Amino acid sequence: MYDAIVIGAGLTGSSAAWALSRRGRSVLLLEANDLNHTLGSSHGTSRIFRTALASPLYAAMAGRAQRLWTELEDESGTGLLRYTGALDFGEARRPGELHRAVVANNVACELLSPEAAQERWPFFRFPTQVLFHPQAGVVNPEAAIRAMLSVATGRYGAEVRTNTRVLKAREDSDGVHVETDGGTFRARSLIVAAGPWLPEILPEILTEAPQPEVRVTEQNVFHFRQSRAGDEWPVFVYKGHAQLFGLPSGGDAGPEPAIKVGRHDPGKRVTPSHRDGVPTEENRELITRFVEEWLPGLEPRSIRGDACLYTTTSNDDFILDRIGRTVVASPCSGQGAKFMPAVGEAIADLATENAPTEEAFALMAHAQL
Ligand SMILES: Cc1cc2nc3c(=O)[nH]c(=O)nc-3n(C[C@H](O)[C@H](O)[C@H](O)COP(=O)(O)OP(=O)(O)OC[C@H]3O[C@@H](n4cnc5c(N)ncnc54)[C@H](O)[C@@H]3O)c2cc1C
């Protein structure tokens, strides 16, 4: 009997396995595919990290995650988070309002005129004021998963089984029976961290509880080569006619320095098994036009396009809750990566301390009624 079984070795499940195992809990992590496969939400080498967030709840969580990213880097001996600073701009992003909220959350930031910002980052053009915050950068999700799992297994004795799909689970008085296509396992608690597969697997586990309403969508990102290799690009979020984000591509578009620009607006509704995985021409054109107009430091022809899945609740809040012996964790909505070590910690609190659920993260707050 394990203390905890975790379903899913994306960023969420790997964070949970790391957090639980470093508390001395015995952990079995079950992953339906190979590690770092490209079918879900955690593949690639770059995600935006930032602490400048309007919501006090998420800003505090990002601050906690920042400290835990450093602990993970120390424990694993791997660099995972690279600071670049971040820029927010665009009419609908409301940089002035965001500035007030971020200051209220005690996060360092600076509001700049478009001219002052352009002088500092001449490879951008800005249609509005710009919010700059230095405590932001790029986290590498694939390296993070490897680091979490190598520490969890190597140092703390967690076990990982890949290519093992959970089919269903049932609770009884002393534990949870987890049935997979490779045998049955037992644990004191179960963590469901199945990302976009949540709507498929959760009804097989919480058979009587209301199911959360989540939307699984295919999102697109495109990579553009930097005109000058030496430019130090910050990450950015733009909200105007569309909501776009950008960040250094890491290794995702080859060895030459490139910037990944993605579209955050609701994507195409899909399921993990019914999707084509091909970026749309509409998104490529919209993003290319944006690059031509506002990012003069990039060559305005995308060198690669990728697709990835968001799992989003109706108000973008996470689901982090416990029912009986089962913890449900769905921290995506296109923004989960940055928080992951803190998400793992919250999952461990729910699983081992029976900690109270944050109201905004409760299953009932997202239930289909
Ligand atoms: C295009 C894109 C850009 C993003 N950009 C950012 C960003 O800049 N900053 C940021 O903070 N966040 C970002 N995110 C969000 C972040 O990447 C996600 O929040 C995070 O990767 C979610 O991880 P997950 O573990 O919940 O899901 P996944 O990575 O999908 O992992 C779920 C795992 O569960 C496994 N699984 C499912 N069902 C079963 C089963 N029955 N049995 C066993 N295993 C199962 C799957 O195989 C999968 O490996 C982005 C997401 C996307 C898609």
Side-chain angles (χ1 to χ4, degrees):
M1 164 101 90
Y2 295 91
D3 288 325
I5 288 177
V6 179
I7 304 176
L11 278 170
T12 309
S14 302
S15 303
W18 177 55
L20 284 158
S21 64
R22 73 200 293 243
R23 287 184 189 188
R25 307 296 160 143
S26 58
V27 175
L28 172 64
L29 185 137
L30 300 169
E31 166 55 52
N33 296 291
D34 290 327
L35 289 182
N36 281 330
H37 64 84
T38 58
L39 305 170
S41 304
S42 302
H43 52 284
T45 61
S46 64
R47 295 288 188 275
I48 291 177
F49 173 84
R50 53 186 288 154
T51 52
L53 300 162
S55 147
L57 175 63
Y58 287 96
M61 205 169 179
R64 177 67 189 146
Q66 187 174 19
R67 292 187 285 282
L68 288 168
W69 281 119
T70 307
E71 286 182 25
L72 177 60
E73 288 180 325
D74 291 345
E75 277 197 356
S76 64
T78 317
L80 300 169
L81 174 54
R82 181 169 74 82
Y83 288 95
T84 62
L87 308 178
D88 290 273
F89 61 98
E91 205 62 55
R93 189 67 178 163
R94 300 197 169 89
E97 266 177 47
L98 186 58
H99 177 247
R100 283 192 289 282
V102 170
V103 167
N105 290 335
N106 293 317
V107 174
C109 61
E110 215 180 320
L111 191 61
L112 301 163
S113 69
E115 297 75 24
Q118 204 166 326
E119 204 167 306
R120 215 146 137 190
W121 298 281
F123 32 92
F124 280 83
R125 273 195 285 266
F126 298 102
T128 61
Q129 285 185 308
V130 178
L131 182 70
F132 168 64
H133 39 105
Q135 294 296 303
V138 182
V139 73
N140 180 333
E142 290 185 1
I145 289 173
R146 278 195 299 274
M148 286 163 173
L149 296 186
S150 84
V151 173
T153 56
R155 184 179 297 195
Y156 300 120
E159 294 173 39
V160 177
R161 282 182 181 240
T162 54
N163 297 299
T164 305
R165 180 172 294 278
V166 173
L167 304 174
K168 61 182 176 188
R170 292 289 173 267
E171 273 188 32
D172 62 23
S173 53
D174 60 355
V176 191
H177 296 252
V178 180
E179 199 178 301
T180 76
D181 56 7
T184 301
F185 303 92
R186 281 170 56 72
R188 289 182 186 82
S189 59
L190 176 65
I191 320 299
V192 186
W197 287 266
L198 185 72
E200 292 174 18
I201 189 63
L202 200 59
E204 307 301 329
I205 296 170
L206 295 180
T207 48
E208 278 156 35
Q211 298 295 311
E213 194 163 353
V214 294
R215 202 184 135 92
V216 177
T217 54
E218 189 161 78
Q219 306 292 138
N220 294 165
V221 298
F222 297 91
H223 302 264
F224 297 84
R225 206 169 269 138
Q226 290 181 208
S227 310
R228 291 194 325 194
D231 288 340
E232 295 284 340
W233 281 72
V235 304
F236 66 87
V237 173
Y238 162 86
K239 197 168 179 187
H241 63 301
Q243 186 166 352
L244 307 177
F245 58 90
L247 62 161
S249 297
D252 292 352
E256 289 185 39
I259 298 297
K260 167 168 102 172
V261 186
R263 188 164 184 193
H264 185 68
D265 307 77
K268 191 167 52 170
R269 204 157 184 160
V270 296
T271 68
S273 41
H274 290 98
R275 56 182 289 222
D276 57 19
V278 180
T280 69
E281 263 323 296
E282 183 205 337
N283 282 339
R284 186 190 300 275
E285 275 170 28
L286 183 139
I287 289 176
T288 302
R289 278 201 304 278
F290 174 81
V291 169
E292 281 168 348
E293 193 166 4
W294 302 110
L295 306 179
L298 298 181
E299 294 176 12
R301 193 179 60 81
S302 79
I303 51 173
R304 184 189 160 104
D306 288 317
C308 181
L309 297 178
Y310 276 8
T311 309
T312 312
T313 58
S314 61
N315 65 358
D316 281 355
D317 275 331
F318 294 167
I319 298 170
L320 284 174
D321 198 1
R322 174 178 175 143
I323 294 199
R325 294 176 177 274
T326 300
V327 175
V328 182
S330 182
C332 186
S333 297
Q335 55 153 344
K338 64 181 72 58
F339 302 100
M340 282 303 176
V343 166
E345 191 176 62
I347 292 171
D349 287 344
L350 287 166
T352 65
E353 318 289 334
N354 216 350
T357 301
E358 185 67 51
E359 208 177 308
F361 300 160
L363 264 170
M364 277 313 286
H366 303 287
Q368 298 171 22
L369 298 171

